């Protein structure tokens, strides 16, 4: 028994060693994001494939899109990525108060984006584009709604972090948790960069 | 934008802050070493990236309204895709730290992105979509 | 640090029921929501419900897969009974559609995949010398989520009357047959929802196991010292990781079509139903390799052991697996040669399909070369492994005939296809997995399965298999269409169909003999007073044999340091002065005896079970009533928060490392000395990976 313990003591320095030197959680998040690419890729290509499969008199993309409005909400989401990196940067240097401020700002900007999306959906619906109206409607709502659900989950996670921070559970030792949730948030943002260009800005 | 200023060294683990003035535009110097493990870019670098993103977005939207007279749809799409890729790269490389982080993250993510693009473009090609 | 952790002293829980309980010191109960105390202990049936031990989860995967195998097998027998004679009337045509669909779905998603997951869970950490997977609770969640999805799918057989609401559009569920118009009952809803749930399970498991292999390897276990099985499982997980989102998209669209009248596959609204075929097969072809690669890995462990030679061309073996993993993405449309894609697509996918036969052929040749001039011992696992090599070769060759598009056009939707994929999936994957059962049974349960019964059941199964599926080649070339409920007497299909039906019952006898063998061997072992089988009964090569049998809860007594490929074997054998290989040490002397009780292990948790159950409830709710889904959502959200607030490990475990670690990777599953003082509370696991794993469904 004693020699067992001895050999353990010798390997203690290795006890927290991971083969790549990276943390499991962060690696898992990147692995997961790699998988998410295929998910959004499928939805985006489904949209591209289906958006023009509508009748000549059907309501189509150019009938409903309000580019100035969507541009503003896209910009809001883009800037939430900036506030997110500020949050990570704040907690890394131990500035918990700034971290909280930036987390809340990020969540708020995300909420503005989601609210904009809800407004956009209601506006489109009142213009006659329902989920079941035609293929464009189904594909558009499925894609943007799925993205919106991702943003919403991101907001919930940010708010959870905020509450954790208020209760003193989010210290600079756990900066990586914020960083990992930030990765998710930025990923949702880059997906929107792609959606915004392909869905909204491509010439119809 | 007070928090954009260089950090206070109030935690023992942290590196020496770099003055904003000392940070050149290149990412190489816009980076501080933390814990000796991997580098963290500074807030000022993030702001510059965000400005670039904002400008790109503005230009994207501009093409929509002005539709860049005389440009064909194809040229417009190529330009939009180029800007999209640039924005994508900026966020992934800087905000998601891939430029500074372990290469395995980069490989995993790029594999996912490239695979998705190849697979779905092949699929649309099989549909004679283009 | 974390207010979710409160230390209470409860000496009664220390060392009483759990020989691997925490070392001396106060026990800790955490009450994440202030209500529940954390499950404790490792005995009794409840400890299985809340376990996060990768070995127990592996065993549960295996048991569940065997159960579903019996269900799927019974369905297969119904199919064969119906087709035994011309104008069969055992089950009606409508029921027949349901039976063959649920047979396919069950066998692919609820048998082969979880059986492979059983081996992945049990063996992967052992083979890389780790204490557990990277995320033990996520691992438990994967199992419960899989089981929830499997139960949901299987319950479609009897909900609302026998075979009234069973999926009936084929396992690949082509649109528009899967639409409400052609399948008005809830069967396809079960399919769409159930497969999304099992997909979430597999995706989470894939992330978990990838991180485990990348990050949790023992010291010195570089990637190219990993056993071939570990490699094949890793490639399988990558395939799952990237393939599952694709079918998730397809199922998601299908679900919207069916439940909320979307138009994705609505031809009347201008949709192209071919979109489903593309999405399905983009997933479906990597899925084929997801099914077969674990069996390839198992065979690559068994054959060297019983040939007493190292695997021939290890690097080629790994490289061909990786090549299959890459090329598997570029061949999907060979399932669609007759769908009217156009000659260019057909030609391109035809060529890529021919190419993918090359890495598979490399594997076959390497196994043969491993056996060549080896000291062969034809034990039951070896028989199964050789069975895989030969049967898979037959299936692979008929697969090559499919790559030739004109020939495939002739064969599409005939029994020739049925014969082909049963030769690769039954003759390849399933035989391999059964061989794995025999091979690792002593490691898992501490006693051998009876060899005589094992060999007998192997031969019965192999003979029955060839009598069942061999004739289907002929039937297919004669023109018998698959998925038909009856055929006329004058079509000339009667004889071989009768042969196939008899063969299928022979298989059933073989499977029952396997089950009897399990019962018989267990009873014999108990009556003999539970003799110790020893750590290494087969004189094998992998690290999993370097610990006691059955594997102790903490896997290895000390951290292992690996110096080369097949490290355990090299510890047992050396060369003498003449350069001949001689035994240098007994396995018992090298292997850990499992006596170390000072290992800190991840603590059991309620939340994986609650989360998995919640997801299953959401699934039923989507099909039947959204209020049930809301209830499920409550469970789901509650479980997620309970999970995130609960530390991954009991927090006051002895930590040898000082402050300064800000990452909570679970590599503290490595052993810790008792004497260490310094401890910091474990940070909560970050909530993200769990959250998104759920959201992606």
């Amino acid at each position: 028994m004693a020699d067992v313990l001895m050999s353990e003591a010798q390997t203690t320095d290795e006890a927290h060693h991971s083969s790549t030197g990276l943390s499991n959680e962060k690696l898992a998040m990147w692995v997961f994001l790699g998988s998410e690419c295929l998910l959004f890729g499928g939805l985006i290509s489904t949209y591209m494939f289906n958006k023009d499969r509508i009748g000549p008199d059907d309501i189509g993309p150019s009938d409903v899109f309000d580019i100035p409005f969507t541009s503003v909400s896209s910009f809001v989401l883009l800037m939430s990525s900036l506030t997110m990196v500020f949050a990570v940067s704040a907690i890394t240097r131990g500035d918990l108060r700034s971290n909280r401020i930036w987390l809340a700002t990020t969540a708020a900007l995300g909420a503005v984006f989601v609210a904009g999306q809800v407004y956009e959906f209601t506006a489109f619906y009142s213009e006659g584009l329902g989920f079941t109206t035609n293929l464009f409607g189904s594909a558009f709502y499925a894609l943007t709604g799925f993205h919106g659900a991702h943003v919403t989950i991101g907001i919930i996670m940010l708010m959870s972090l905020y509450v954790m921070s208020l209760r003193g559970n989010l210290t600079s030792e756990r900066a990586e948790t914020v960083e990992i949730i930030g990765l998710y948030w930025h990923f949702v943002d880059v997906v929107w960069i792609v959606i915004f260009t392909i869905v909204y800005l491509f010439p119809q | 934008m007070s928090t954009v200023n260089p950090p206070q060294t109030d935690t023992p683990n942290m590196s020496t802050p770099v003055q904003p003035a000392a940070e050149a535009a290149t990412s190489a110097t816009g980076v501080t070493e933390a814990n000796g493990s991997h580098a963290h870019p500074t807030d000022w670098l993030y702001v510059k990236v965000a400005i670039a993103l904002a400008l790109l977005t503005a230009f994207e939207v501009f093409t929509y309204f002005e539709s860049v007279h005389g440009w064909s749809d194809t040229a417009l799409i190529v330009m939009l895709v180029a800007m999209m890729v640039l924005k994508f790269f900026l966020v992934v490389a800087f905000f998601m730290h891939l430029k500074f982080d372990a290469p395995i993250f980069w490989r995993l993510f790029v594999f996912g992105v490239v695979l998705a693009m190849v697979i779905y473009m092949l699929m649309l090609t099989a549909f004679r979509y283009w | 640090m974390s207010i979710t952790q409160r230390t209470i002293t409860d000496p009664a829980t220390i060392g009483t029921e759990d020989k691997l309980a925490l070392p001396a010191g106060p026990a800790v109960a955490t009450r994440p929501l202030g209500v529940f105390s954390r499950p404790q202990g490792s005995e009794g049936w409840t400890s299985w419900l809340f376990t996060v031990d990768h070995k127990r989860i592996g065993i549960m995967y295996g048991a569940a897969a065997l159960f579903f195998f019996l269900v799927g097998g019974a369905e297969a027998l119904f199919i064969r009974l119906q087709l035994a004679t011309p104008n069969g009337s055992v089950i009606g045509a409508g029921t027949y559609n349901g039976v063959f669909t649920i047979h396919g779905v069950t066998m692919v998603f609820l048998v082969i995949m979880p059986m492979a997951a059983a081996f992945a869970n049990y063996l992967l950490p052992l083979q890389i010398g780790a204490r557990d997977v990277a995320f033990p609770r996520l691992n438990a969640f994967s199992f419960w989520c899989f089981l929830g999805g499997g139960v949901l799918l299987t319950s479609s057989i009897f909900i609302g009357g026998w075979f009234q609401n069973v999926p009936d559009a084929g396992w690949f569920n082509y649109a528009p047959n899967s639409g409400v118009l052609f399948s008005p009952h809830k069967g396809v809803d079960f399919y769409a929802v159930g497969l999304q749930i099992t997909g979430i399970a597999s995706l989470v498991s894939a992330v978990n196991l990838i991180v485990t292999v990348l990050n949790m390897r023992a010291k010195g276990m570089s990637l190219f010292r990993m056993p071939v099985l570990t490699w094949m499982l890793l490639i399988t997980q990558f395939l799952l990781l990237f393939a599952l989102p694709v079918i998730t998209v397809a199922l998601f669209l299908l679900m919207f079509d069916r439940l909320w009248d979307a138009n994705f596959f609505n031809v009347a609204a201008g949709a192209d139903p071919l979109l489903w075929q593309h999405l399905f097969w983009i997933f479906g072809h990597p899925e084929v390799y997801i099914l077969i690669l674990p069996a390839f890995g198992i065979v690559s462990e068994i054959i060297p052991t019983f040939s007493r030679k190292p695997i021939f061309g290890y690097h080629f073996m790994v490289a061909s697996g990786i090549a299959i993993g890459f090329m598997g993405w570029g061949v999907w449309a060979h399932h669609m040669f007759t769908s009217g894609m156009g000659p260019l697509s057909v030609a391109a996918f035809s060529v890529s399909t021919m190419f993918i036969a090359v890495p598979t052929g490399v594997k076959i040749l390497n196994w043969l070369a491993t056996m060549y001039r080896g000291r062969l011992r034809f034990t039951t696992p070896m028989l199964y492994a050789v069975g895989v090599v030969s049967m898979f070769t037959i299936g692979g060759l008929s697969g090559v005939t499919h790559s030739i598009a004109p020939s495939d056009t002739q064969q599409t939707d005939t029994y020739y296809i049925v014969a082909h994929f049963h030769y690769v999936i039954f003759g390849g994957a399933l035989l391999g997995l059964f061989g794995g059962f025999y091979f690792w049974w002593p490691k898992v349960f501490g006693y051998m399965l009876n060899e005589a019964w094992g060999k007998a059941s192997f031969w019965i199964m192999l003979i029955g298999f060839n009598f069942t599926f061999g004739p289907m080649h002929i039937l297919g070339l004669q023109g018998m269409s698959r998925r038909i409920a009856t055929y006329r007497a004058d079509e000339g299909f009667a004889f071989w169909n009768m042969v196939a039906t008899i063969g299928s019952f022979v298989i059933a006898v073989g499977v029952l003999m396997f089950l009897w063998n399990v019962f018989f061997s267990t009873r014999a072992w108990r009556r003999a007073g539970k003799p110790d089988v020893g750590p290494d009964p087969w004189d094998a090569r992998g690290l999993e044999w370097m610990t006691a049998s059955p594997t102790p809860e903490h896997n290895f007594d000390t951290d292992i340091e690996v110096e080369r490929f097949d490290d355990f074997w090299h510890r047992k054998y050396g060369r003498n002065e003449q350069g001949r290989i001689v035994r240098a040490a007994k396995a018992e002397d090298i292997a850990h005896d499992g006596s170390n009780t000072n290992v800190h292990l991840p603590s059991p948790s309620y939340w994986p079970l609650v989360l998995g159950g919640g997801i299953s409830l959401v699934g039923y709710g989507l099909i039947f009533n959204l209020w049930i889904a809301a209830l499920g959502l409550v469970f789901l959200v509650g479980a997620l928060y309970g999970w995130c607030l609960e530390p991954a490990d009991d927090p006051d475990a002895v930590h040898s490392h000082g402050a300064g670690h800000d990452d909570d990777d679970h590599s503290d599953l490595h052993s810790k000395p008792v004497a260490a003082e310094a401890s910091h509370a474990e940070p909560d696991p970050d909530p993200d990976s769990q959250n998104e794993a759920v959201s992606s469904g």
Side-chain angles (χ1 to χ4, degrees), chain C residues 315-528:
Chain C
H315 287 89
F316 271 99
M317 211 62 178
V318 173
S320 62
I322 297 173
I324 289 174
F326 274 98
M327 293 163 79
W329 291 98
V331 298
W332 80 84
H334 65 216
H335 297 267
M336 302 164 58
F337 280 160
T338 55
S339 67
M341 292 185 300
L344 195 65
S345 301
V346 169
F349 282 102
S350 178
V351 170
S352 67
T353 306
M354 290 176 199
F355 269 115
I356 204 166
V358 174
T360 320
V362 167
K363 285 195 177 306
I364 302 279
L365 289 176
N366 279 3
W367 289 323
L368 294 179
T370 307
M371 284 189 275
Y372 178 66
R373 301 189 67 179
R375 282 235 307 274
L376 300 184
R377 281 184 290 158
F378 282 101
T379 58
T380 312
M382 184 64 168
L383 288 176
Y384 274 102
V386 175
V388 171
V389 177
S390 45
M391 294 303 111
F392 184 85
T393 304
I394 297 174
L397 288 175
S398 63
V400 174
T401 68
H402 297 150
S403 70
I404 300 151
S407 164
D408 182 74
T409 309
Q410 186 82 6
Q411 297 151 2
T412 292
D413 272 342
T414 68
Y415 263 83
Y416 191 85
I417 302 284
V418 180
H420 159 70
F421 68 67
H422 280 96
Y423 263 87
V424 288
I425 294 181
F426 191 124
L430 197 74
L431 287 186
L433 293 163
F434 266 83
F437 278 144
Y438 281 96
F439 188 54
W440 281 288
W441 198 275
K443 179 51 63 188
V444 177
F445 296 106
Y447 58 92
M448 310 274 274
L449 288 177
N450 183 288
E451 278 287 297
W453 278 104
K455 285 177 185 169
S457 100
F458 165 76
W459 285 111
I460 302 262
M461 250 160 110
L462 189 78
I463 291 166
F465 163 74
N466 279 294
F467 270 103
T468 310
F469 300 110
M472 290 185 185
H473 289 111
I474 303 166
L475 285 171
L477 293 177
Q478 281 180 326
M480 179 167 165
S481 183
R482 65 191 280 207
R483 286 184 241 120
I484 50 152
T486 53
Y487 51 92
R488 291 198 316 274
D490 61 358
E491 283 174 311
F493 302 148
F495 174 72
W496 289 116
N497 267 304
M498 181 51 91
V499 172
T501 300
I502 294 170
S504 68
F505 279 87
V506 176
I507 296 177
V509 171
V511 173
L512 289 178
M513 283 168 71
F514 167 76
L515 295 177
W516 164 254
N517 192 359
V518 171
F519 172 75
F520 174 84
S521 307
T522 315
R523 196 182 58 179
W525 177 64
R526 289 224 172 102
R527 284 185 180 165

Side-chain angles (χ1 to χ4, degrees), chain C residues 59-75:
Chain C
I59 292 169
M60 290 196 291
Y61 260 118
L66 270 179
F67 168 76
F68 288 124
F69 179 61
L70 298 182
V71 174
E75 289 152 4

Side-chain angles (χ1 to χ4, degrees), chain C residues 105-226:
Chain C
V105 172
T106 305
M107 287 305 194
V108 169
F109 293 99
L110 307 183
V111 178
I112 307 283
M113 283 172 74
M115 235 183 240
F119 287 99
N121 269 292
Y122 199 99
L123 293 172
L124 206 142
L126 284 170
Q127 288 202 321
I128 59 172
R131 287 229 184 275
D132 207 317
V133 293
F135 303 100
R137 288 182 301 169
L138 272 187
N139 202 24
F141 164 70
S142 296
F143 171 73
W144 294 115
C145 187
F146 150 73
L147 192 68
V151 167
L152 185 136
L153 272 171
T154 307
S155 69
S156 70
I157 294 174
F158 53 81
I159 283 184
W162 286 96
F163 292 101
Q164 296 305 301
N165 282 311
V166 73
D168 61 352
W171 88 278
F172 39 63
N173 207 39
Y174 278 174
N177 281 349
S178 56
V180 179
L181 189 63
F182 299 105
S183 185
H185 56 72
K186 293 186 184 302
V188 178
D189 300 337
F190 274 104
Y191 175 95
V193 173
L195 289 191
Q196 283 187 65
I197 294 175
T198 57
I200 294 169
S202 302
L203 183 68
V204 171
S205 174
V207 171
N208 198 347
L209 293 177
I210 288 171
V211 174
T212 304
V213 174
L214 292 181
N215 239 4
M216 307 283 286
R217 280 167 283 137
K219 202 176 173 193
M221 178 63 85
S222 62
L223 286 175
F224 282 96
R225 287 178 188 168
M226 298 195 307

Side-chain angles (χ1 to χ4, degrees), chain A residues 30 34 37, chain B residues 92 98 105-116:
Chain A
W30 276 111
C37 293
Chain B
V92 171
L98 273 188
F105 298 142
W106 182 243
R107 287 179 204 137
L108 280 169
F109 188 64
V110 167
F111 187 81
V113 172
V114 170
L115 185 70

Side-chain angles (χ1 to χ4, degrees), chain B residues 3 10 14 18 24 45-47 50-51 54-55 58 62 65-66 72-73 78-79 81 87 97 99 101 103 122 124-125:
Chain B
T3 49
D10 49 1
M14 286 313 299
V18 179
L45 180 68
Y46 293 141
V47 173
I51 291 169
L55 289 177
F62 172 79
F65 288 109
E66 297 300 318
S72 66
D73 276 3
V78 169
M79 200 163 66
V81 167
K87 283 168 76 180
H97 295 169
K99 197 170 177 347
D101 224 328
L122 260 179
L124 291 175
T125 308

Side-chain angles (χ1 to χ4, degrees), chain A residues 15 22 41 59 128 143 151 155 158 167 196:
Chain A
L22 308 163
I59 186 161
L143 171 59
V151 178
I155 294 171
L158 289 170
R167 294 168 67 176
F196 180 59

